[in-house]
Amino acid sequence: MEKKIRAYIIIMNWKEKLKWKLLIIAAALAGILIVWCAGKAGERKADARKEVLKEYAKKENEWASAGVKFQPPRFENAEEKMDQTDITDKKNEEEPKKGEVSATKAVEAVSETQTDKNQESYGSGPVIQVLLMTDGYKSYYHEKVSLKVQGAYELQGAEKRQMADRETLNLQADSPELAKGSLSLVPLEADCRIQVLSLNRGQGNPLYRGSLTVYRDKEGLRLVNTLPLENYLCGVVPSEMPASYPEEALKAQTVCARTYASVQMQESKLADLGAQVDDSVGFQVYQNSPEAESSSRAVRDTAGKILLNNGAPICAYYFSTSHGKTSTDEVWEASAPSSYLQSVECSYDAEEPWYQWTVSVKRESILEHVQQTYPGVQTVEKLEIQEKGEGEAVQRLAVYTDKGVKVYSSEYDIRTLLAPVGETIVRQDGSEVKGSALLPSAYFDMKEERGTDNTLLGWRIEGGGYGHGVGMSQNGARGMAKSGKSWEEILTYFYKDIEIGNLAQVVNQGNS
């Protein structure tokens, strides 16, 4: 066979030889292109993972000074949420399997039912869909669901019937009520609530207004709470800012929360899961703390008010406590920093415990974090702050290792690298707090700690503030309110180049 091939090659004319050479080159290029595309796909998934984690860092709004702490959601399959983004881009081209219900269509049906039949009984205005996570905000999928209604509801699913006040409903994947793939509980009168007995939040078993839809997926049961935006905010504001804070601070928080929610409603990042937001720090914490009259009054008193820049809702970021000034969105390596997110001086939260703090981080701990990104690294020899931003956040941190210098250049990555897990953080009032999976903030200086034999043991970090430092300081807002500032003055201090508008302006524009 080999001799025949050689003989054929010898007798081929130059045109045939050129044709075969071109075919071989084309095949080689096609192979290279396939490998390159696969590599880019891997990079895109890795980038998507990083962006999801950054979102958690941006929205960590923990009440550090109030002693309340939330952990970012941990997905059992972290790739799963990113794959949902890919599905969204394809606009759900695949038809639902027989016996299953399209999440988007089901939500539209529920929303239509609420709007047309029951909206007046529990609120009005734009409707938002909220995906409820499991205990500890670990997953979107529940093994079982136990519900108890307060008030009259209509059960819509494989069967359609009314549920009486205080009636309970227990569901699993094989429950007959879910034979059609989903069911909804829709309120029939004012002030109804659904208590999810199978969920535990800061308030215990949380209570939800509006309707609740349970979807049966192969991964488990998925819960979506659909309700008017203003009612949603009644569950967000006390979960993001203590209800004991001054009235004007609560109003400022409410307008930020409403603005942020309006942006998320437009983006609908969780559309393929039948929702627009979830109830974790990935978006805004919802119903972790019970509704309170003070925060609900703030929602009513600022009804519909949002922050606009050039006629569009802004990204109204907020955080717990500053270190004396705020930052721009450069901390997230923004390619085009937002004009309304400027660095401003802030001394209104100077008396807060988290305003200044210190903590020591062991060399071994930092090595473990470095090895998660660079498995081949065996030693960490030195840390060096190479760059700080306008608000004094560390933006470039060099790690000198046996495999060269590794540079970390985002707020989230730096705070993760230096995470003081289990270490004691001493705040400026002398109180002590155990460290967690993120350094309190990226506003810090550091110095080496060495043993008696000059062996490098770790680093002492002297920092300030709690959170990402972009937008409104919640404790700064508290201090401003105590000094007599109005909610409008608070917001125009922390956000520049803005106007206070109404949500109806945006909704009408979006529907026109």
Side-chain angles (χ1 to χ4, degrees):
M1 177 63 73
E2 185 177 346
K3 291 181 179 180
K4 290 182 179 180
I5 293 173
R6 285 178 180 175
Y8 177 70
I9 292 173
I10 292 171
I11 63 174
M12 280 195 301
N13 60 37
W14 69 270
K15 289 184 179 180
E16 290 177 320
K17 289 180 179 180
L18 179 61
K19 180 182 71 173
W20 280 104
K21 286 181 180 179
L22 290 174
L23 285 172
I24 292 169
I25 293 171
L29 289 174
I32 293 171
L33 182 62
I34 290 170
V35 172
W36 182 83
C37 289
K40 295 302 289 183
E43 288 177 17
R44 189 167 72 86
K45 184 162 286 189
D47 290 342
R49 178 185 179 87
K50 187 175 181 180
E51 289 305 313
V52 169
L53 294 175
K54 281 184 180 179
E55 282 301 313
Y56 295 138
K58 290 179 186 179
K59 292 300 300 168
E60 66 195 336
N61 310 310
E62 300 166 286
W63 298 342
S65 61
V68 179
K69 185 175 181 180
F70 300 104
Q71 290 294 334
R74 289 189 300 104
F75 295 97
E76 294 168 5
N77 180 1
E79 307 275 331
E80 186 174 313
K81 183 170 181 178
M82 275 140 313
D83 288 340
Q84 293 296 339
T85 304
D86 297 339
I87 297 171
T88 302
D89 292 340
K90 294 176 183 176
K91 297 184 179 179
N92 202 18
E93 293 174 349
E94 295 182 0
E95 290 293 324
K97 296 178 182 178
K98 187 175 181 181
E100 296 182 354
V101 178
S102 164
T104 304
K105 290 182 179 179
V107 167
E108 289 173 354
V110 172
S111 299
E112 187 175 344
T113 301
Q114 290 176 192
T115 303
D116 294 345
K117 295 182 178 180
N118 301 297
Q119 195 174 62
E120 293 182 1
S121 69
Y122 64 89
S124 59
V127 172
I128 187 169
Q129 288 95 26
V130 188
L131 188 60
L132 307 181
M133 300 189 72
T134 58
D135 289 354
Y137 305 99
K138 294 180 180 179
S139 173
Y140 286 152
Y141 299 101
H142 306 246
E143 289 184 12
K144 58 184 179 179
V145 174
S146 181
L147 309 172
K148 182 179 181 180
V149 299
Q150 296 183 5
Y153 279 81
E154 182 174 77
L155 173 64
Q156 301 175 356
E159 61 173 322
K160 187 173 183 179
R161 64 177 179 84
Q162 288 195 15
M163 291 185 67
D165 181 33
R166 301 194 175 279
E167 184 177 344
T168 60
L169 180 64
N170 298 309
L171 300 169
Q172 298 183 117
D174 59 354
S175 294
E177 294 91 343
L178 290 168
K180 289 187 176 180
S182 70
L183 66 80
S184 297
L185 298 179
V186 181
L188 298 175
E189 55 190 23
D191 297 324
C192 291
R193 301 287 192 279
I194 300 173
Q195 187 173 27
V196 183
L197 302 176
S198 52
L199 269 185
N200 287 291
R201 295 288 190 255
Q203 62 170 293
N205 300 132
L207 291 162
Y208 298 99
R209 305 190 194 205
S211 71
L212 186 70
T213 302
V214 182
Y215 298 100
R216 184 191 63 205
D217 294 336
K218 62 180 180 180
E219 297 89 346
L221 303 181
R222 182 164 38 92
L223 276 64
V224 176
N225 180 207
T226 305
L227 73 167
L229 174 61
E230 296 299 303
N231 287 352
Y232 164 73
L233 294 172
C234 290
V236 166
V237 176
S239 291
E240 291 282 9
M241 175 179 279
S244 60
Y245 274 27
E247 180 180 2
E248 295 304 303
L250 289 170
K251 289 179 182 177
Q253 177 68 46
T254 299
V255 175
C256 287
R258 185 182 291 110
T259 305
Y260 184 85
S262 70
V263 172
Q264 299 305 317
M265 290 168 70
Q266 290 177 326
E267 293 182 353
S268 290
K269 294 178 180 178
L270 303 179
D272 275 17
L273 294 174
Q276 295 156 321
V277 299
D278 67 33
D279 61 344
S280 77
V281 293
F283 292 89
Q284 296 187 103
V285 180
Y286 169 58
Q287 289 294 1
N288 185 69
S289 296
E291 295 180 15
E293 174 54 32
S294 57
S295 50
S296 293
R297 183 168 57 250
V299 174
R300 293 193 299 270
D301 290 348
T302 63
K305 298 297 183 184
I306 60 173
L307 303 177
L308 302 173
N309 173 258
N310 294 326
I314 71 169
C315 290
Y317 296 120
Y318 50 92
F319 61 99
S320 171
T321 309
S322 82
H323 75 113
K325 61 172 62 176
T326 68
S327 282
T328 70
D329 48 356
E330 66 183 351
V331 300
W332 301 311
E333 304 173 288
S335 57
S338 303
S339 63
Y340 51 83
L341 294 174
Q342 299 179 20
S343 177
V344 301
E345 299 289 332
C346 183
S347 60
Y348 292 101
D349 47 6
E351 300 302 316
E352 293 293 329
W354 280 112
Y355 193 75
Q356 298 292 331
W357 47 265
T358 60
V359 66
S360 293
V361 182
K362 294 182 177 64
R363 182 183 186 184
E364 292 79 7
S365 174
I366 293 175
L367 174 60
E368 288 178 7
H369 286 113
V370 171
Q371 288 174 334
Q372 291 176 10
T373 308
Y374 306 101
V377 171
Q378 296 300 314
T379 62
V380 171
E381 300 158 0
K382 177 183 174 182
L383 298 182
E384 180 183 52
I385 296 173
Q386 292 188 333
E387 181 184 343
K388 287 189 176 183
E390 184 178 352
E392 298 181 2
V394 175
Q395 291 187 208
R396 283 177 60 88
L397 181 68
V399 182
Y400 291 77
T401 77
D402 58 315
K403 300 297 182 182
V405 180
K406 311 300 182 184
V407 178
Y408 290 74
S409 58
S410 79
E411 182 255 0
Y412 175 84
D413 291 342
I414 291 169
R415 291 174 65 193
T416 301
L417 173 70
L418 302 177
V421 180
E423 301 293 344
T424 299
I425 303 173
V426 181
R427 303 187 293 184
Q428 72 171 358
D429 64 348
S431 60
E432 297 182 352
V433 179
K434 285 296 181 184
S436 61
L438 284 176
L439 193 67
S441 78
Y443 305 91
F444 63 85
D445 289 304
M446 60 198 313
K447 58 184 179 181
E448 292 181 349
E449 291 187 324
R450 293 184 175 272
T452 53
D453 59 352
N454 203 38
T455 301
L456 180 62
L457 302 177
W459 287 264
R460 179 177 175 80
I461 302 174
E462 298 178 351
Y466 196 103
H468 50 66
V470 181
M472 183 184 75
S473 162
Q474 292 172 302
N475 281 316
R478 179 192 191 189
M480 293 184 72
K482 283 184 174 180
S483 71
K485 303 293 184 183
S486 68
W487 66 269
E488 293 96 337
E489 290 175 308
I490 293 171
L491 292 174
T492 53
Y493 180 81
F494 286 109
Y495 304 101
K496 304 303 181 183
D497 193 23
I498 62 164
E499 60 182 14
I500 298 172
N502 198 287
L503 183 63
Q505 297 173 240
V506 178
V507 172
N508 290 338
Q509 290 173 4
N511 294 337
S512 61

